[in-house]
């Protein structure tokens, strides 16, 4: 199984064993010891029957003492085994999930824009539960049952060769049936994983969009969407469970009844002819259970383990997709500024969203990007954030072509104040610092400049923001995003309609605060065409259907009386 795994998937398997080999070794050693315990139990039953036949009371007393000691010893072995297994399995899972999250957090920014986060939720919840059951727990059970099968056969062989031959012959058909059916199990397990992924995606959307659903009175439709996803995943689980039961029933009926009756009858005949004792027949009948069980479960367990290995592979593939780009580092002085030269861009081979865009943005400069809705403003900011590589022309950042710049270095350069603000269900302070260490004075200063001064003075940095920032107003949420960007002090600040949720006065104050900043180059997308603010930009770029149709200072553009002047007239 290991050889078919990719190198990336093997990394995840290695995460199970990191600093966990001692737990594994103890668990395996005690699993191995548990096998003779089961076989000795069968042997004891046979001995007791034979002693009854001889009527030797003192031998029976010895056996009773031995039985007591044996039960205590096997209990100790079992408890030790379970404890070591628990220690191994749950450490392995914690390490596996940590590695998965570490790899996901290293992905490029475009990964989270383009991929379905529902699939990651499923990979880290449902699939982890399948890996726990199918890969880790069943791994031990496979060892146990394989040894039990081998040990039972060896013991049978030692007790009676002809009776062992009968048992093996009667096991052949059910083994073949069980192996053949086990293959289908893997398919069904994978189908359940894919169904879980779709279910989690749908549920996440319905819960995240709950307010929209309510506002639209679309509860009935939401229930229908949920019901469809729910029914699909449960139907897939039903198919999987049915197959599991079918394998069990076929193996148990074919193997269990046929084997036990067959061996019992053949053993009785050998006992009548004096070849074996009655005790030996009883031991055989009991050992048949240890043949039936492994034949019943081993193909299933091996199939589940293969299916679970497939889930590890799936996670490895998902984590590798859209990996953050490693490339050239760019100095924070941003020598040469940001230069776009005849840039064009289209989403997924569609119509061009940007065409022939050429801009020069100097370090420390103030630039505004204006244009009607859908003219490509956000797309342009997204390109500068490294969100898409498929542009034509050239974008040079500090002298380096953007698509060759290291993703981490680009993040250090670019701060984004976005339209949509994500807030953690945590304190105001942690939401501003994003859990990183900053001097408190710097945090307070950023809050004050972002217009959060009053809130912080009244409620403090420890104020709980609530889920998604539910305890803050829309404007306060946006100010948190502005405070974050101010605190990071990146050389470039990209601002996408950051003041849209603020009232006119606060919006002007916040936009003014961004313009007042010393140091960063600012590119501000704005629909607010306030003359007092627009007059403060070094240059305004006017986008129309993806093209820069006008550029200049506010005074120049208004004097020209073109498209920009028209936009100002409409908005004003
Ligand atoms: N991820 C995407 N995939 C496909 N098309 C997209 C995507 N994002 C935006 N578009 C399309 O690209 C065009 C430009 O969108 P963009 O968001 O850049 O415009 P905008 O000027 O920022 O608009 P607004 O002012 O309304 O925010 C639109 O036609 C939009 O539908």
């Amino acid at each position: 199984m290991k050889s078919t795994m990719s190198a990336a998937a093997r990394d995840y398997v290695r995460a199970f064993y990191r600093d966990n080999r001692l737990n594994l070794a103890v668990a395996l050693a005690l699993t191995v010891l548990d096998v003779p315990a089961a076989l000795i139990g069968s042997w004891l039953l046979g001995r007791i029957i034979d002693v009854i036949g001889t009527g030797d009371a003192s031998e029976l007393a010895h056996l009773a003492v031995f039985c007591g000691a044996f039960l205590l010893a096997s209990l100790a072995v079992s408890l030790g085994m379970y404890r070591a297994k628990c220690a191994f399995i749950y450490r392995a899972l914690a390490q596996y999930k940590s590695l998965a999250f570490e790899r996901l957090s290293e992905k490029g920014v475009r990964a989270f824009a383009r991929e379905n986060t529902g699939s990651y939720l499923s990979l880290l919840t449902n699939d982890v539960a399948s890996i726990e059951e199918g890969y880790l727990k069943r791994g031990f059970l496979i060892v146990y049952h394989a040894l039990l099968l081998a040990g039972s056969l060896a013991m049978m062989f030692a007790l009676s060769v002809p009776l062992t031959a009968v048992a093996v012959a009667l096991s052949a058909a059910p083994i073949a049936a069980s192996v053949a059916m086990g293959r289908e199990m893997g398919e069904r397990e994978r189908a359940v994983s894919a169904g879980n992924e779709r279910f989690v995606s749908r549920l996440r959307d319905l819960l995240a969009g709950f307010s929209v659903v309510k506002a639209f009175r679309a509860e009935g439709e939401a229930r229908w969407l949920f019901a469809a996803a729910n029914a699909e995943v449960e139907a897939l689980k039903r198919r999987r469970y049915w197959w599991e039961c079918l394998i069990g029933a076929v193996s148990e009926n074919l193997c269990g009844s046929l084997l036990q009756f067959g061996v019992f009858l053949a053993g009785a005949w050998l006992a009548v002819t004096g070849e074996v004792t009655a005790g030996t027949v009883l031991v055989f009948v009991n050992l048949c259970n240890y043949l039936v069980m492994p034949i019943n479960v081993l193909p299933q367990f091996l199939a589940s383990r293969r299916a679970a290995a497939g889930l590890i592979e799936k996670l490895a593939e998902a984590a590798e997709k859209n990996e953050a780009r490693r490339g050239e580092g760019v100095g924070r002085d941003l020598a040469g500024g940001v230069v776009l030269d005849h840039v064009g861009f289209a989403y997924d081979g569609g119509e061009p969203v940007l065409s022939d865009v050429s801009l020069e943005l100097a370090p420390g400069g103030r630039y505004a990007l204006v244009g009607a809705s859908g003219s490509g403003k956000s797309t342009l900011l997204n390109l500068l954030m490294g969100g898409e590589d498929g542009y034509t022309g050239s974008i040079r950042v500090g002298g380096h072509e953007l698509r060759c710049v290291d993703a981490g270095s680009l993040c250090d350069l670019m701060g984004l104040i976005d339209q949509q603000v994500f807030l953690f269900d945590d304190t105001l302070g942690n939401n501003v610092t994003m859990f990183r260490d900053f001097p408190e004075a710097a945090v307070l200063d950023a809050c004050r400049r972002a217009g959060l001064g009053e809130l912080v003075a009244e409620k403090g940095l420890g104020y709980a923001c609530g889920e998604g920032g539910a305890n803050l107003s829309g404007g306060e949420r946006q100010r948190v995003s502005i405070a974050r960007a101010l605190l990071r002090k990146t050389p470039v600040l990209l601002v996408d309609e950051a003041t849209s949720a603020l009232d006119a006065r606060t919006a002007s104050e916040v936009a003014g605060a961004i313009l007042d900043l010393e140091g960063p180059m600012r590119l501000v997308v704005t629909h607010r065409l306030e003359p007092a603010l627009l007059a403060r930009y070094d240059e305004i770029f006017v986008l129309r259907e993806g093209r820069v149709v006008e550029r200049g200072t506010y005074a120049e553009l208004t004097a020209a009386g073109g498209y920009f002047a028209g936009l100002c007239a409409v908005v004003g």
Side-chain angles (χ1 to χ4, degrees), residues 1 17 134-136 139 142 300-310:
M1 193 182 318
Y17 305 114
Y135 197 86
L136 296 173
I142 288 169
Q300 263 187 66
F301 286 0
L302 287 168
S304 298
R305 201 167 145 92
R306 261 197 303 274

Side-chain angles (χ1 to χ4, degrees), residues 347-348 353 371-380 419 496 527:
Y347 286 102
D348 300 323
V353 173
S373 181
S375 56
K377 304 180 295 294
S378 301
T379 302
L380 186 56
Q419 296 177 0
D496 196 355
H527 285 159

